[in-house]
Amino acid sequence: RSSTPASSGPMAARGSSSAVPSPGWSEHLPMSPVEGCPTVFQAICSLPPGIYQYKFNVDGQWRHDEGQPTITGEYGVVNTLYLTREFDHINTVLSPTTPGSRMDVDNDSFQRMGSLSDGALQEGSPRISESAIQISRCRVAEYLNAHTGYDLLPDSGKVIALDINLPVKQSFHILHEQGIPVAPLWDSFRGQFVGLLSPLDFILILRELETHGSNLTEEQLETHTISAWKEAKRQTYGRNDGQLRSNQHLVHATPYESLRGIAMKILETGISTVPIIYSSSTDGSFPQLLHLASLSGILKCICRYFKNSTGSLPILNQPVCSIPLGTWVPKIGEPNGHPLAMLRPNTSLSSALNLLVQAGVSSIPIVDDNDSLIDTYSRSDITALAKDKVYTHIRLDEMTIHQALQLGQDANSPFGLFNGQRCQMCLRSDPLLKVMERLANPGVRRVFIVEAGSKRVEGVIS
């Protein structure tokens, strides 16, 4: 199966199951547009193992793909394809724009000749073609546009909201006890959901408490309400966290909105969670909080839909190293390489929180002196300090990350854990579907790419 961004025309092929190809073109294969991607054309054929040559006829002109292995002969420059084993069905796109890539087919039936070293990816990693990515994007977009927020709703469950008149201290204790990272805020006077309370709020409050000349004391924190804190936060930091100015409304979604629309709200606003709210009234009165939508929930829907038909989504079985995805540790001498943020176990909690806020990330890997992954520290881990008022008798610059994580080890909350593991890891050779399934688990915001054996951190995928 081959695809090309050509406008129209057939593909000519010739070949043999022996090492010497037979002369002459064996057949002309008409190419048809891929469903949902009218600018991508494909041809499907069944071939025994051997060496093949092919060329494209685009609008009456013979062309070859400059990005693929080629040879020059009596038919000019032609592309070559080497099939190593028998196969029954081909379930993915063989793209003519990816030299040296390992094709994603049943039982790894194919292997193409050549190699690629691309600075945008990892050295020696074959890169998936742009046409395969485009096909996958088209099909995911079709799915997201055709499904709504109702698909995100669980069969059963609970959603916790907090009244804005609750004390901040009590609110974070609730977050810790319930094992949830974020809670919508309810204004009983206005009869509306007006914002979100997140671990970032607690981080900023703790930093405020340790700031010399702070207007917020530990005693005041006992009675300081969420409403008062949010107002002070807007004046000090200019942050809104999903809530716009007082004359506007909370960023939310309805169950009728498409999954694409919900995903775009999350991405464009930079917030981790969008409440799904339903109201039978045209003016939005008497709202009902149905669910907290996140990208992990949307990923879960995508995985569930395409898991048993990965052939329709070529990118899913590709190794993550072959896809322009994630943030990778820069190679030595790599131009414009930005180092990946990492922490040591003895790093102060104060430094870790500053890095989380400044880098704008939800979690940072904790590594040893060899950069091997030990653990991870996330924004949501900060709520462990609310337990037994730990925050009242520690200093952030005197507590280490290791000590801070020990505080939450006996927590009952399953949030952030997956099969008993805090750290979600993958190898560069793992297929994208495997990584997506891990990211689709509630509470998992990052998967760390590690080297086999040493667990040395090579990158991170969010």
Coordinates of all heavy atoms in Angstrom, one line a residue, residues 180-238:
I180 N -8.0 14.3 44.4 CA -8.4 15.0 43.2 C -7.4 16.2 43.0 O -7.1 16.9 44.0 CB -9.8 15.4 43.1 CG1 -10.2 16.3 44.3 CG2 -10.7 14.2 43.0 CD1 -11.6 16.9 44.3
P181 N -7.0 16.5 41.8 CA -6.1 17.6 41.6 C -6.8 19.0 41.5 O -6.2 20.0 41.8 CB -5.3 17.3 40.3 CG -6.4 16.5 39.6 CD -7.2 15.7 40.6
V182 N -8.0 19.0 41.0 CA -8.7 20.2 40.6 C -10.2 20.1 41.0 O -10.8 19.0 41.0 CB -8.7 20.5 39.1 CG1 -9.4 21.7 38.7 CG2 -7.2 20.6 38.6
A183 N -10.8 21.2 41.5 CA -12.2 21.3 41.8 C -12.8 22.5 41.3 O -12.2 23.6 41.5 CB -12.4 21.2 43.3
P184 N -14.0 22.4 40.7 CA -14.7 23.7 40.3 C -15.2 24.4 41.5 O -15.4 23.8 42.6 CB -15.9 23.1 39.4 CG -15.5 21.7 39.1 CD -14.7 21.2 40.2
L185 N -15.4 25.7 41.3 CA -15.8 26.6 42.4 C -17.2 27.1 42.2 O -17.6 27.5 41.1 CB -14.9 27.8 42.5 CG -13.4 27.4 42.8 CD1 -12.5 28.7 42.8 CD2 -13.2 26.7 44.1
W186 N -18.1 27.0 43.2 CA -19.5 27.3 43.1 C -19.7 28.6 43.9 O -19.4 28.7 45.1 CB -20.3 26.1 43.7 CG -21.8 26.5 43.8 CD1 -22.4 26.7 45.0 CD2 -22.7 26.5 42.8 NE1 -23.8 27.0 44.7 CE2 -24.0 26.9 43.4 CE3 -22.7 26.4 41.4 CZ2 -25.2 27.0 42.6 CZ3 -23.8 26.6 40.6 CH2 -25.1 26.9 41.3
D187 N -20.4 29.5 43.3 CA -20.8 30.8 43.9 C -22.3 30.6 44.2 O -23.1 30.8 43.2 CB -20.5 32.0 43.0 CG -20.8 33.3 43.7 OD1 -21.6 33.3 44.6 OD2 -20.2 34.3 43.3
S188 N -22.7 30.4 45.4 CA -24.1 30.2 45.8 C -24.9 31.5 45.6 O -26.1 31.4 45.3 CB -24.3 29.6 47.2 OG -23.6 30.5 48.1
F189 N -24.3 32.6 45.7 CA -25.0 33.9 45.6 C -25.4 34.1 44.1 O -26.6 34.5 43.8 CB -24.2 35.0 46.1 CG -24.8 36.4 45.9 CD1 -25.8 36.8 46.8 CD2 -24.4 37.2 44.9 CE1 -26.4 38.0 46.6 CE2 -25.1 38.5 44.7 CZ -26.1 38.9 45.6
R190 N -24.5 33.8 43.2 CA -24.8 34.0 41.8 C -25.4 32.8 41.2 O -26.0 32.8 40.1 CB -23.5 34.3 41.0 CG -22.8 35.6 41.4 CD -21.4 35.8 40.9 NE -21.3 35.7 39.5 CZ -20.2 35.6 38.8 NH1 -19.0 35.7 39.5 NH2 -20.2 35.5 37.5
G191 N -25.4 31.6 41.9 CA -25.9 30.4 41.3 C -25.2 29.9 40.1 O -25.8 29.4 39.2
Q192 N -23.8 30.1 40.1 CA -23.0 29.7 39.0 C -21.7 29.1 39.4 O -21.2 29.4 40.5 CB -22.7 30.9 38.1 CG -23.9 31.5 37.4 CD -23.5 32.7 36.6 OE1 -22.4 33.3 36.7 NE2 -24.4 33.1 35.7
F193 N -21.1 28.3 38.5 CA -19.7 27.9 38.7 C -18.8 29.0 38.2 O -19.1 29.5 37.0 CB -19.5 26.6 38.0 CG -20.2 25.4 38.6 CD1 -21.4 25.0 38.0 CD2 -19.7 24.7 39.7 CE1 -22.1 23.9 38.5 CE2 -20.4 23.7 40.2 CZ -21.6 23.3 39.7
V194 N -17.9 29.4 39.0 CA -17.2 30.6 38.6 C -15.6 30.5 38.4 O -14.9 31.4 38.1 CB -17.4 31.7 39.7 CG1 -18.9 32.1 39.7 CG2 -17.0 31.2 41.1
G195 N -15.1 29.3 38.7 CA -13.7 29.1 38.6 C -13.2 27.7 38.9 O -14.0 26.8 39.1
L196 N -11.9 27.6 39.1 CA -11.3 26.3 39.4 C -10.3 26.5 40.5 O -9.6 27.5 40.5 CB -10.6 25.6 38.2 CG -11.5 25.2 37.0 CD1 -10.6 24.8 35.9 CD2 -12.4 24.1 37.4
L197 N -10.2 25.6 41.4 CA -9.1 25.6 42.4 C -8.1 24.4 42.1 O -8.6 23.3 41.9 CB -9.7 25.4 43.8 CG -8.7 25.6 45.0 CD1 -8.3 27.1 45.1 CD2 -9.2 25.1 46.3
S198 N -6.9 24.8 42.0 CA -5.9 23.8 41.5 C -4.7 23.8 42.4 O -4.5 24.7 43.2 CB -5.5 24.1 40.1 OG -4.7 25.3 40.1
P199 N -3.8 22.8 42.2 CA -2.5 22.8 43.0 C -1.7 24.0 42.8 O -1.0 24.4 43.7 CB -1.8 21.5 42.5 CG -2.9 20.6 42.0 CD -3.9 21.6 41.4
L200 N -1.8 24.7 41.7 CA -1.0 25.9 41.5 C -1.4 27.0 42.5 O -0.6 27.7 43.0 CB -1.2 26.5 40.1 CG -0.5 27.8 39.7 CD1 1.0 27.6 39.9 CD2 -0.9 28.2 38.3
D201 N -2.7 27.0 42.9 CA -3.1 27.9 43.9 C -2.4 27.7 45.2 O -2.0 28.6 45.9 CB -4.7 27.8 44.1 CG -5.4 28.4 43.0 OD1 -5.3 29.6 42.7 OD2 -6.1 27.6 42.3
F202 N -2.3 26.4 45.6 CA -1.7 26.0 46.9 C -0.2 26.4 46.8 O 0.4 26.9 47.8 CB -1.9 24.6 47.1 CG -1.6 24.2 48.6 CD1 -1.7 25.1 49.6 CD2 -1.3 22.9 48.9 CE1 -1.4 24.8 50.9 CE2 -1.1 22.5 50.2 CZ -1.2 23.5 51.2
I203 N 0.5 26.1 45.6 CA 1.9 26.5 45.5 C 2.1 28.0 45.7 O 3.0 28.4 46.4 CB 2.4 26.0 44.1 CG1 2.4 24.5 44.0 CG2 3.8 26.6 43.8 CD1 2.7 24.0 42.6
L204 N 1.3 28.8 45.0 CA 1.4 30.2 45.1 C 1.1 30.7 46.6 O 1.8 31.6 47.0 CB 0.5 30.9 44.1 CG 0.8 30.7 42.7 CD1 -0.3 31.4 41.8 CD2 2.2 31.1 42.3
I205 N 0.2 30.1 47.2 CA -0.1 30.4 48.6 C 1.1 30.1 49.5 O 1.5 30.9 50.4 CB -1.4 29.7 49.1 CG1 -2.6 30.3 48.5 CG2 -1.5 29.8 50.6 CD1 -3.9 29.6 48.8
L206 N 1.7 28.9 49.4 CA 2.8 28.6 50.2 C 4.0 29.5 49.9 O 4.7 29.9 50.9 CB 3.2 27.1 49.9 CG 2.2 26.0 50.4 CD1 2.7 24.7 50.0 CD2 1.9 26.2 51.9
R207 N 4.2 29.9 48.7 CA 5.3 30.8 48.4 C 5.0 32.2 49.0 O 5.9 32.9 49.5 CB 5.4 30.9 46.9 CG 6.0 29.6 46.2 CD 6.0 29.7 44.7 NE 6.8 30.8 44.2 CZ 6.9 31.1 42.9 NH1 6.2 30.5 42.0 NH2 7.7 32.0 42.5
E208 N 3.7 32.6 49.0 CA 3.3 33.8 49.6 C 3.5 33.8 51.1 O 4.0 34.8 51.7 CB 1.8 34.1 49.3 CG 1.3 35.4 49.8 CD 1.6 36.6 48.9 OE1 2.2 36.3 47.8 OE2 1.4 37.7 49.3
L209 N 3.3 32.7 51.7 CA 3.5 32.6 53.2 C 4.9 32.8 53.6 O 5.2 33.3 54.7 CB 3.0 31.2 53.7 CG 1.5 31.0 53.8 CD1 1.1 29.6 54.1 CD2 0.8 32.0 54.8
E210 N 5.8 32.4 52.7 CA 7.2 32.5 53.1 C 7.9 33.7 52.6 O 9.1 34.0 52.8 CB 8.0 31.3 52.5 CG 7.6 29.9 53.1 CD 8.7 28.9 53.0 OE1 9.6 29.1 52.2 OE2 8.6 27.9 53.7
T211 N 7.1 34.6 51.9 CA 7.6 35.8 51.4 C 7.6 36.9 52.5 O 6.7 37.0 53.2 CB 6.8 36.4 50.2 OG1 6.7 35.4 49.2 CG2 7.3 37.7 49.7
H212 N 8.8 37.5 52.7 CA 8.9 38.5 53.7 C 7.9 39.7 53.4 O 7.8 40.1 52.2 CB 10.3 39.1 53.8 CG 11.3 38.1 54.2 ND1 11.3 37.5 55.5 CD2 12.3 37.5 53.5 CE1 12.3 36.6 55.6 NE2 12.9 36.6 54.4
G213 N 7.2 40.1 54.4 CA 6.2 41.1 54.2 C 4.9 40.7 53.6 O 4.1 41.5 53.1
S214 N 4.7 39.4 53.6 CA 3.4 38.9 53.1 C 2.2 39.4 53.9 O 2.3 39.5 55.1 CB 3.4 37.3 53.1 OG 2.1 36.8 52.8
N215 N 1.1 39.7 53.2 CA -0.1 40.1 53.9 C -0.9 38.9 54.4 O -1.9 39.1 55.0 CB -0.9 40.9 52.9 CG -0.3 42.2 52.5 OD1 0.4 42.9 53.4 ND2 -0.4 42.7 51.3
L216 N -0.5 37.7 54.0 CA -1.3 36.5 54.4 C -0.5 35.7 55.4 O 0.6 35.2 55.1 CB -1.5 35.7 53.1 CG -2.4 34.4 53.3 CD1 -3.8 34.8 53.8 CD2 -2.5 33.7 52.0
T217 N -1.0 35.6 56.6 CA -0.3 34.9 57.7 C -0.9 33.5 57.8 O -2.0 33.2 57.3 CB -0.4 35.6 59.0 OG1 -1.8 35.6 59.4 CG2 0.1 37.0 59.0
E218 N -0.3 32.6 58.6 CA -0.8 31.2 58.7 C -2.1 31.3 59.5 O -3.0 30.5 59.2 CB 0.2 30.4 59.5 CG 1.5 30.2 58.7 CD 2.6 29.5 59.5 OE1 2.3 29.1 60.7 OE2 3.7 29.4 59.0
E219 N -2.3 32.2 60.4 CA -3.5 32.3 61.2 C -4.7 32.7 60.3 O -5.8 32.2 60.3 CB -3.4 33.3 62.3 CG -2.4 32.8 63.5 CD -1.0 33.0 63.1 OE1 -0.7 33.7 62.1 OE2 -0.1 32.3 63.7
Q220 N -4.3 33.7 59.4 CA -5.4 34.2 58.5 C -5.8 33.1 57.5 O -6.9 33.1 57.0 CB -4.9 35.4 57.7 CG -4.8 36.7 58.6 CD -4.1 37.8 57.8 OE1 -3.2 37.6 57.0 NE2 -4.6 39.0 58.1
L221 N -4.8 32.2 57.2 CA -5.1 31.1 56.2 C -6.3 30.2 56.7 O -7.0 29.6 55.9 CB -3.9 30.3 56.0 CG -3.9 29.3 54.8 CD1 -4.2 30.1 53.5 CD2 -2.6 28.5 54.7
E222 N -6.4 30.2 58.1 CA -7.5 29.4 58.6 C -8.9 29.9 58.2 O -9.8 29.1 58.1 CB -7.4 29.4 60.2 CG -6.1 28.7 60.7 CD -6.2 27.2 60.7 OE1 -7.3 26.7 60.6 OE2 -5.1 26.6 60.7
T223 N -9.0 31.2 58.0 CA -10.3 31.8 57.7 C -10.3 32.4 56.3 O -11.4 32.8 55.8 CB -10.7 32.8 58.7 OG1 -9.7 33.8 58.8 CG2 -10.9 32.2 60.1
H224 N -9.2 32.5 55.6 CA -9.0 33.1 54.3 C -9.8 32.3 53.3 O -9.6 31.1 53.1 CB -7.6 33.2 53.9 CG -7.3 34.2 52.8 ND1 -7.4 35.5 53.0 CD2 -6.9 34.0 51.6 CE1 -7.1 36.2 51.9 NE2 -6.8 35.3 51.0
T225 N -10.8 32.9 52.7 CA -11.7 32.1 51.8 C -11.1 32.0 50.4 O -10.2 32.7 50.0 CB -13.1 32.8 51.7 OG1 -12.9 34.1 51.0 CG2 -13.7 33.0 53.0
I226 N -11.6 31.0 49.6 CA -11.2 30.9 48.3 C -11.5 32.1 47.5 O -10.7 32.5 46.6 CB -12.0 29.7 47.6 CG1 -11.7 28.4 48.4 CG2 -11.6 29.5 46.2 CD1 -12.5 27.2 47.9
S227 N -12.6 32.7 47.7 CA -13.0 33.9 47.0 C -12.0 35.0 47.2 O -11.5 35.7 46.3 CB -14.4 34.4 47.4 OG -14.8 35.6 46.8
A228 N -11.6 35.2 48.5 CA -10.6 36.3 48.8 C -9.3 36.0 48.1 O -8.6 36.9 47.6 CB -10.5 36.4 50.3
W229 N -8.9 34.7 48.2 CA -7.6 34.3 47.6 C -7.6 34.6 46.1 O -6.7 35.1 45.5 CB -7.3 32.9 47.9 CG -6.3 32.3 46.9 CD1 -6.5 31.3 45.9 CD2 -4.9 32.7 46.7 NE1 -5.4 31.1 45.2 CE2 -4.4 31.9 45.6 CE3 -4.1 33.6 47.3 CZ2 -3.1 32.1 45.2 CZ3 -2.8 33.8 46.9 CH2 -2.3 33.0 45.9
K230 N -8.7 34.2 45.4 CA -8.7 34.3 43.9 C -8.7 35.8 43.5 O -8.0 36.1 42.5 CB -10.0 33.7 43.4 CG -10.0 32.2 43.4 CD -9.1 31.7 42.3 CE -9.2 30.2 42.1 NZ -8.3 29.7 41.1
E231 N -9.3 36.6 44.3 CA -9.3 38.1 44.0 C -7.9 38.6 44.2 O -7.3 39.4 43.3 CB -10.3 38.8 44.9 CG -10.3 40.3 44.6 CD -10.7 40.6 43.1 OE1 -11.5 39.9 42.5 OE2 -10.2 41.6 42.6
A232 N -7.2 38.2 45.3 CA -5.8 38.7 45.5 C -4.9 38.1 44.5 O -4.0 38.8 44.0 CB -5.4 38.2 46.9
K233 N -5.2 36.9 44.0 CA -4.3 36.3 43.0 C -4.4 37.0 41.7 O -3.4 37.2 41.0 CB -4.7 34.8 42.8 CG -3.9 34.0 41.8 CD -4.5 32.6 41.7 CE -3.8 31.9 40.6 NZ -4.4 30.5 40.4
R234 N -5.6 37.4 41.3 CA -5.8 38.2 40.1 C -5.0 39.5 40.1 O -4.5 39.9 39.1 CB -7.3 38.4 39.8 CG -8.0 37.2 39.1 CD -9.3 37.6 38.5 NE -10.2 37.9 39.6 CZ -11.0 37.0 40.2 NH1 -10.9 35.8 39.9 NH2 -11.9 37.4 41.2
Q235 N -5.1 40.1 41.3 CA -4.4 41.4 41.4 C -2.9 41.3 41.4 O -2.2 42.1 40.9 CB -4.9 42.1 42.7 CG -6.4 42.5 42.6 CD -6.8 43.2 43.9 OE1 -6.0 43.4 44.8 NE2 -8.1 43.5 44.0
T236 N -2.4 40.2 42.0 CA -0.9 40.0 42.1 C -0.3 39.4 40.9 O 0.7 39.8 40.4 CB -0.6 39.1 43.4 OG1 -1.2 39.7 44.5 CG2 0.9 39.0 43.6
Y237 N -0.9 38.3 40.4 CA -0.3 37.5 39.3 C -1.0 37.7 38.0 O -0.5 37.3 37.0 CB -0.4 36.0 39.7 CG 0.4 35.7 40.9 CD1 -0.3 35.5 42.2 CD2 1.8 35.5 40.9 CE1 0.4 35.2 43.3 CE2 2.5 35.2 42.1 CZ 1.8 35.1 43.3 OH 2.4 34.8 44.4
G238 N -2.2 38.2 38.0 CA -3.0 38.4 36.8 C -3.4 37.1 36.2 O -3.7 37.0 35.0

